[in-house]
Amino acid sequence: MPPVHPLKKLFQYAKAYRSDFRLATIYSILNKSFDVLPEVLIGVAVDIVINGDKSFLAKRVLGGFGITDTWHQLMFLGAVNALIWAGESWFEYLLSIKWRKLAQNLQHDLRLDTYDHVQKLEMAYFENQRTGNLMSILNEDINQMERFLNGGANQIIQVICSSIMVSAVFFTLQPSLAVISLLPVPLILIGAFWFQKRLAPRYSEVREAAGDVSARLNNNLLGLATIKAFATESFEKNHIAEASNAYRQANSSAIAISAAITPVIRMAILAGFTATLVYGGWLTLQGELAVGAYSVLVYLTQRLLWPMTGLADVADMYQRSMSAIDRAMGLLDTKINIPYEGKHVAPAQIKGDLQFDKVDFAYGNQKTLQQISLHIPAGKTIAFVGSTGSGKSTLVKLLLRFYSAQAGKITLDGTEINEINLQDLRRCIGYVAQDSFLTDGTIAENIAYGMQDVNDAAIRDAAQAAEAMEFISKLPLGFATRIGERGQKLSGGQRQRLALARAILKNPPILILDEATSAVDNETEAAIQRSLDVVSRNRTTIVIAHRLSTVRQADCIHLLEAGEIMESGTHDELLALDAGYAALWRLQTGERTHG
């Protein structure tokens, strides 16, 4: 099956704007119609001056009575000219407004729809994508489409219209001259399309290279502290130079072809204009063509052919836009493998009873979980410990449906989580990760993130429960203090306390702490542990930790290794077992567990 053209994809997407497309096209056609007429009036004026009361206007206007007085003919011609210019200007205004508004609305909708679609893609999709490349599509590629609709679409329509209208006038006045003079037009159009086809793959490479540059810049800006700490500024500059040079070379390849379009078109134009000028002049001298008609044809040839030199720029803009639209539409067409639809539930209805039944999962060929079966009773605190890569965080990601289990099932209060509306499922879960996402907003906005109609007292209570009030009260603006992009104005411990306050304010029936204390100091860990002791009461709580001291009070601790549960029990029971957990405890604390 042949690939669908990007322009067709865009029209299929923009169904709601088809009437706007039609109206904008009509305005472009009417504007070009009025734009061509002044050249016709020049020929009529020449005819009036030369032939006087025997002119075209005297013979054929007003039902055959004519305007015989030369001055009256010129006055009438001036009035018609004023109306034509007014019409041309009016439709120029209308088409400009309509095309620009259409471009703005369409790029706005496409950006939002594409971003919304990206948010719904499963986490596995992002493992093979770079953030900078996605940003390039969502920003620059969609902007490129906007630029094409702002001007390029109107130019293409008007070139087609002027070709048709001027050809009609030519064949009406002098068919033999029309054949010779207009012969370059199809050659010009064919040549433009020939070049365009060769530009297509090159501009696809340009857009990909632009995405590479954006990805590298985004990666380095996020890791600037590490770059500075390792004094690798020159090393990373070279990486940027490589990506930028690849972009430059991809553009150079496209420019080598696009730059050749204009000279080729100019040569074709020269042939057509020369034919009109010389052959048309000879026909006039022979009396086969009126002087006024000759003037009209010369001016129309100029009006038709010279704007075609702009086809080079239009073809260049068009192909850049098609490559950009193709990437944006490709992203929008990416299949969502984890559907959002399902049974609606409210957090207040959820008890929090979880069951994992023979769950398997693998990242590619790497087996991560093998036949995991366990029960997490509602209201209990359950901990998962084990070495890095043992599958602890994967269990949580499956519960949140960032990924889908490849075998087995997970149930919440007896209902498979695949049958629950995805948004409702996640609203039932409070999630505090090792590196929680914070926005460039205020302290209060970050605590109330994702929640509406939250009063200041509730935000303060959540901060108090997370033991965050001590540092918030010392900030110049308190809860109104902006914390910078990703919370960079705060320490790691402060960011984690805000993340915990956010989860507390959400008040979910299930709370997950995924390595939430692994990157904080002992004081912050103790504070979070005190908060956890309070907020975990009568709430299903799942704690993933490397530090065993943070989970010793859990109702049950599961030790995972290589994707399998090796041991389960309370802290004291596992120490008494004197196996893997006890060995980890001795390693971390130096305490003896028996004897």
Side-chain angles (χ1 to χ4, degrees), residues 292-311:
Y294 174 60
S295 302
V296 170
L297 295 180
V298 170
Y299 281 113
L300 283 178
T301 305
Q302 175 85 354
R303 173 54 66 96
L304 169 65
L305 296 180
W306 278 114
M308 286 192 171
T309 58
L311 278 177

Short mmCIF file of all heavy atoms in Angstrom, two decimals, residues 292-311:
data_model
loop_
_atom_site.label_atom_id
_atom_site.label_comp_id
_atom_site.label_asym_id
_atom_site.label_seq_id
_atom_site.Cartn_x
_atom_site.Cartn_y
_atom_site.Cartn_z
N GLY A 292 -3.55 47.33 -28.82
CA GLY A 292 -4.01 47.17 -27.42
C GLY A 292 -3.90 45.74 -26.96
O GLY A 292 -3.48 45.46 -25.83
N ALA A 293 -4.28 44.81 -27.85
CA ALA A 293 -4.18 43.39 -27.50
C ALA A 293 -2.73 42.98 -27.28
O ALA A 293 -2.40 42.21 -26.38
CB ALA A 293 -4.83 42.55 -28.59
N TYR A 294 -1.84 43.52 -28.14
CA TYR A 294 -0.40 43.25 -28.00
C TYR A 294 0.10 43.73 -26.64
O TYR A 294 0.83 43.03 -25.93
CB TYR A 294 0.36 43.92 -29.13
CG TYR A 294 1.87 43.83 -29.00
CD1 TYR A 294 2.51 42.60 -28.97
CD2 TYR A 294 2.64 45.00 -28.91
CE1 TYR A 294 3.89 42.52 -28.87
CE2 TYR A 294 4.02 44.92 -28.79
CZ TYR A 294 4.64 43.68 -28.77
OH TYR A 294 6.02 43.61 -28.66
N SER A 295 -0.35 44.94 -26.25
CA SER A 295 0.05 45.49 -24.94
C SER A 295 -0.44 44.59 -23.81
O SER A 295 0.29 44.32 -22.84
CB SER A 295 -0.53 46.89 -24.76
OG SER A 295 -0.10 47.75 -25.80
N VAL A 296 -1.72 44.15 -23.95
CA VAL A 296 -2.27 43.27 -22.92
C VAL A 296 -1.44 42.00 -22.78
O VAL A 296 -1.07 41.57 -21.68
CB VAL A 296 -3.74 42.90 -23.26
CG1 VAL A 296 -4.24 41.79 -22.32
CG2 VAL A 296 -4.63 44.11 -23.13
N LEU A 297 -1.09 41.37 -23.90
CA LEU A 297 -0.35 40.11 -23.87
C LEU A 297 1.05 40.27 -23.29
O LEU A 297 1.53 39.41 -22.55
CB LEU A 297 -0.30 39.51 -25.27
CG LEU A 297 -1.66 39.09 -25.87
CD1 LEU A 297 -1.46 38.52 -27.27
CD2 LEU A 297 -2.36 38.08 -24.97
N VAL A 298 1.72 41.38 -23.65
CA VAL A 298 3.06 41.62 -23.11
C VAL A 298 3.00 41.77 -21.59
O VAL A 298 3.80 41.17 -20.85
CB VAL A 298 3.69 42.87 -23.75
CG1 VAL A 298 4.97 43.26 -23.02
CG2 VAL A 298 3.99 42.61 -25.22
N TYR A 299 2.05 42.58 -21.12
CA TYR A 299 1.95 42.79 -19.68
C TYR A 299 1.50 41.52 -18.95
O TYR A 299 1.97 41.22 -17.85
CB TYR A 299 0.98 43.93 -19.38
CG TYR A 299 1.59 45.30 -19.57
CD1 TYR A 299 1.15 46.15 -20.58
CD2 TYR A 299 2.61 45.75 -18.73
CE1 TYR A 299 1.72 47.40 -20.77
CE2 TYR A 299 3.18 47.01 -18.91
CZ TYR A 299 2.74 47.83 -19.92
OH TYR A 299 3.30 49.06 -20.10
N LEU A 300 0.58 40.77 -19.56
CA LEU A 300 0.12 39.54 -18.93
C LEU A 300 1.22 38.49 -18.86
O LEU A 300 1.31 37.73 -17.90
CB LEU A 300 -1.09 38.97 -19.69
CG LEU A 300 -2.43 39.67 -19.43
CD1 LEU A 300 -3.52 39.02 -20.28
CD2 LEU A 300 -2.82 39.60 -17.96
N THR A 301 2.04 38.43 -19.89
CA THR A 301 3.17 37.51 -19.86
C THR A 301 4.10 37.83 -18.70
O THR A 301 4.56 36.94 -17.97
CB THR A 301 3.95 37.57 -21.19
OG1 THR A 301 3.06 37.34 -22.27
CG2 THR A 301 5.05 36.52 -21.22
N GLN A 302 4.34 39.14 -18.56
CA GLN A 302 5.17 39.60 -17.43
C GLN A 302 4.52 39.23 -16.11
O GLN A 302 5.17 38.70 -15.21
CB GLN A 302 5.34 41.13 -17.53
CG GLN A 302 6.07 41.76 -16.35
CD GLN A 302 7.58 41.70 -16.52
OE1 GLN A 302 8.06 41.09 -17.46
NE2 GLN A 302 8.29 42.31 -15.61
N ARG A 303 3.19 39.48 -16.03
CA ARG A 303 2.48 39.22 -14.78
C ARG A 303 2.42 37.73 -14.45
O ARG A 303 2.51 37.33 -13.30
CB ARG A 303 1.08 39.81 -14.87
CG ARG A 303 0.16 39.48 -13.70
CD ARG A 303 0.79 39.85 -12.35
NE ARG A 303 0.97 41.25 -12.21
CZ ARG A 303 0.12 42.05 -11.57
NH1 ARG A 303 -0.98 41.55 -11.06
NH2 ARG A 303 0.39 43.33 -11.45
N LEU A 304 2.29 36.91 -15.48
CA LEU A 304 2.19 35.47 -15.26
C LEU A 304 3.54 34.83 -14.97
O LEU A 304 3.72 34.09 -14.00
CB LEU A 304 1.56 34.79 -16.48
CG LEU A 304 1.63 33.26 -16.50
CD1 LEU A 304 0.81 32.67 -15.37
CD2 LEU A 304 1.17 32.71 -17.83
N LEU A 305 4.51 35.12 -15.81
CA LEU A 305 5.75 34.36 -15.76
C LEU A 305 6.71 34.79 -14.65
O LEU A 305 7.31 33.95 -13.99
CB LEU A 305 6.45 34.42 -17.12
CG LEU A 305 5.68 33.78 -18.29
CD1 LEU A 305 6.48 33.91 -19.59
CD2 LEU A 305 5.40 32.31 -18.00
N TRP A 306 6.86 36.11 -14.47
CA TRP A 306 7.86 36.53 -13.48
C TRP A 306 7.55 36.05 -12.06
O TRP A 306 8.46 35.65 -11.33
CB TRP A 306 8.05 38.05 -13.51
CG TRP A 306 8.97 38.47 -14.61
CD1 TRP A 306 8.66 39.20 -15.70
CD2 TRP A 306 10.36 38.14 -14.74
NE1 TRP A 306 9.75 39.36 -16.52
CE2 TRP A 306 10.82 38.71 -15.95
CE3 TRP A 306 11.27 37.41 -13.98
CZ2 TRP A 306 12.12 38.59 -16.39
CZ3 TRP A 306 12.56 37.28 -14.42
CH2 TRP A 306 12.98 37.87 -15.61
N PRO A 307 6.26 36.09 -11.63
CA PRO A 307 6.00 35.54 -10.29
C PRO A 307 6.37 34.07 -10.14
O PRO A 307 6.53 33.58 -9.03
CB PRO A 307 4.48 35.74 -10.14
CG PRO A 307 4.17 36.90 -11.01
CD PRO A 307 5.07 36.74 -12.19
N MET A 308 6.51 33.39 -11.28
CA MET A 308 6.88 31.97 -11.19
C MET A 308 8.31 31.78 -10.69
O MET A 308 8.68 30.66 -10.32
CB MET A 308 6.69 31.29 -12.55
CG MET A 308 5.23 31.06 -12.90
SD MET A 308 5.02 29.98 -14.31
CE MET A 308 3.25 29.74 -14.26
N THR A 309 9.09 32.83 -10.72
CA THR A 309 10.42 32.71 -10.11
C THR A 309 10.28 32.43 -8.61
O THR A 309 11.17 31.86 -7.99
CB THR A 309 11.25 33.99 -10.31
OG1 THR A 309 10.55 35.11 -9.77
CG2 THR A 309 11.50 34.24 -11.80
N GLY A 310 9.14 32.86 -8.04
CA GLY A 310 8.88 32.58 -6.63
C GLY A 310 8.55 31.13 -6.36
O GLY A 310 8.48 30.71 -5.19
N LEU A 311 8.34 30.35 -7.43
CA LEU A 311 8.07 28.93 -7.23
C LEU A 311 9.22 28.21 -6.53
O LEU A 311 9.01 27.21 -5.86
CB LEU A 311 7.79 28.25 -8.58
CG LEU A 311 6.38 28.37 -9.15
CD1 LEU A 311 6.30 27.72 -10.51
CD2 LEU A 311 5.35 27.76 -8.20
#
